[in-house]
């Protein structure tokens, strides 16, 4: 079995009673090892909610989620954090870099949590910064980088623990179209190297470049097309 992601009847309700928001209403979704899937759909349809659950940043209200063979639903906070750090690399639209830590240090952080020794952390961080094309910025602070450079750092950090799954929520959303295309090219290269990628985008031209497109509407999967 080569499923990295498998969800069944995944449900997420925010709030309760009168103020409840049914963000996900029964999502059956699977992603096989090595796939590159684009998640699309209108604003408020539940894409980020689904990504947060897939990335073990949040838990579903009901339903099941199996990530690389591990049951995720019902995990306690500490276990959820551990599986997230081990299995998932997450890239956000807003980069989410630590402003006071150097670029190299930002990339090292997930390895620090994973208990990797100092020397190996540094070596792996430098190799990853090399891979995303900004090793020369290793000792700089995030504020001194352009948006595209910051997103490359975020991608390097996401890859720090060689995750089974790379998730990206609008990774080009804050970038101009040329820089966005360069960052997307990086995702293509990572896909060719065997990484499993799920990427949220509003941009049809970006979605068209994925192997498969899955559309979410009102908390449900509306359509899925492309190679299965
Ligand atoms: N923390 C939260 N508390 C309450 N409601 C929330 C929360 N996060 C999201 N929602 C609601 O859940 C629904 C889905 O939101 P979500 O952020 O997943 O949409 P999205 O598809 O990512 O939208 P966008 O394209 O604008 O990013 C929306 O109605 C939203 O208002
Ligand atoms: Mg969103």
């Amino acid at each position: 079995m080569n499923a990295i992601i498998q969800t069944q009847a995944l449900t997420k309700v925010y709030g309760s009673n009168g103020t409840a928001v049914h963000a996900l209403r029964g999502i059956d979704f699977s992603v096989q090892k090595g796939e590159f899937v684009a998640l699309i759909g209108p604003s408020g349809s539940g894409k980020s909610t689904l990504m947060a659950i897939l990335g073990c940043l949040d838990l579903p209200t009901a339903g099941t989620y199996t990530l690389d063979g591990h049951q995720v639903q019902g995990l306690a906070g500490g276990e959820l954090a551990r599986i997230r750090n081990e299995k998932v690399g997450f890239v956000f639209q807003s980069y989410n870099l630590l402003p006071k830590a150097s670029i190299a240090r930002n990339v090292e952080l997930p390895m620090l949590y994973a208990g990797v020794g100092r020397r190996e952390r540094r070596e792996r961080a430098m190799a990853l910064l090399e891979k995303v094309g900004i090793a020369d910025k290793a000792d700089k602070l995030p504020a001194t980088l352009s948006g595209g450079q910051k997103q490359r750092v975020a991608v390097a950090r996401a890859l720090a623990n060689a995750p089974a799954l790379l998730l990206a929520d609008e990774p080009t959303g804050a970038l101009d179209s040329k820089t966005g295309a360069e960052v997307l090219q990086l995702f293509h290269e990572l896909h060719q190297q065997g990484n499993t990628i799920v990427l949220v985008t509003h941009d049809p031209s970006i979605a068209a470049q994925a192997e498969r497109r899955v559309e979410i509407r009102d908390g449900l999967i509306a359509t899925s097309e492309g190679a299965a």
Side-chain angles (χ1 to χ4, degrees):
M1 209 191 65
N2 266 334
I4 296 289
I5 289 174
Q6 192 144 37
T7 80
Q8 272 184 324
L10 209 64
T11 300
K12 181 70 180 181
V13 183
Y14 291 111
S16 57
N17 303 324
T19 60
V21 175
H22 294 260
L24 301 179
R25 300 188 296 130
I27 299 265
D28 298 327
F29 179 51
S30 43
V31 174
Q32 305 302 308
K33 190 171 164 55
E35 269 198 297
F36 183 1
V37 178
L39 265 188
I40 56 177
S43 185
S45 58
K47 303 180 300 295
S48 294
T49 299
L50 178 59
M51 292 289 272
I53 293 171
L54 297 179
C56 302
L57 293 165
D58 202 355
L59 286 169
T61 309
T64 63
Y65 174 30
T66 309
L67 167 61
D68 199 20
H70 297 261
Q71 298 285 321
V72 171
Q73 77 281 354
L75 284 184
E79 292 172 305
L80 191 68
R82 192 160 43 76
I83 194 166
R84 170 171 70 235
N85 196 51
E86 182 189 333
K87 298 283 181 192
V88 184
F90 212 125
V91 177
F92 302 90
Q93 176 173 341
S94 52
Y95 325 121
N96 292 14
L97 301 176
L98 288 184
K100 290 185 176 157
S102 72
I103 295 309
R105 188 79 182 152
N106 266 279
V107 177
E108 283 179 44
L109 211 58
M111 299 183 238
L112 181 69
Y113 295 142
V116 178
R118 186 174 159 176
R119 191 182 169 144
E120 190 188 339
R121 282 203 310 265
R122 188 67 188 200
E123 281 175 10
R124 272 162 59 179
M126 288 311 297
L128 286 166
L129 288 171
E130 200 78 57
K131 187 184 183 106
V132 301
I134 52 167
D136 57 320
K137 303 289 186 190
D139 297 320
K140 301 275 190 276
L141 289 176
T144 67
L145 270 56
S146 70
Q149 289 170 335
K150 283 181 198 167
Q151 202 57 304
R152 285 171 187 277
V153 176
V155 171
R157 179 186 55 187
L159 295 170
N161 289 327
L165 176 63
L166 189 54
L167 298 175
D169 194 345
E170 292 276 359
T172 64
L175 305 174
D176 63 76
S177 57
K178 178 170 175 286
T179 310
E182 287 165 6
V183 167
L184 191 68
Q185 180 54 34
L186 182 57
F187 280 96
H188 279 300
E189 287 163 19
L190 295 171
H191 176 228
Q192 275 154 20
Q193 289 160 18
N195 287 282
T196 308
I197 300 171
V198 179
L199 180 150
V200 170
T201 184
H202 276 111
D203 184 337
S205 71
I206 290 180
Q209 294 177 46
E211 269 181 311
R212 180 155 71 96
R213 281 150 294 286
V214 173
E215 185 185 11
I216 312 267
R217 273 184 188 273
D218 292 330
L220 285 169
I221 289 184
T223 60
S224 181
E225 56 106 2

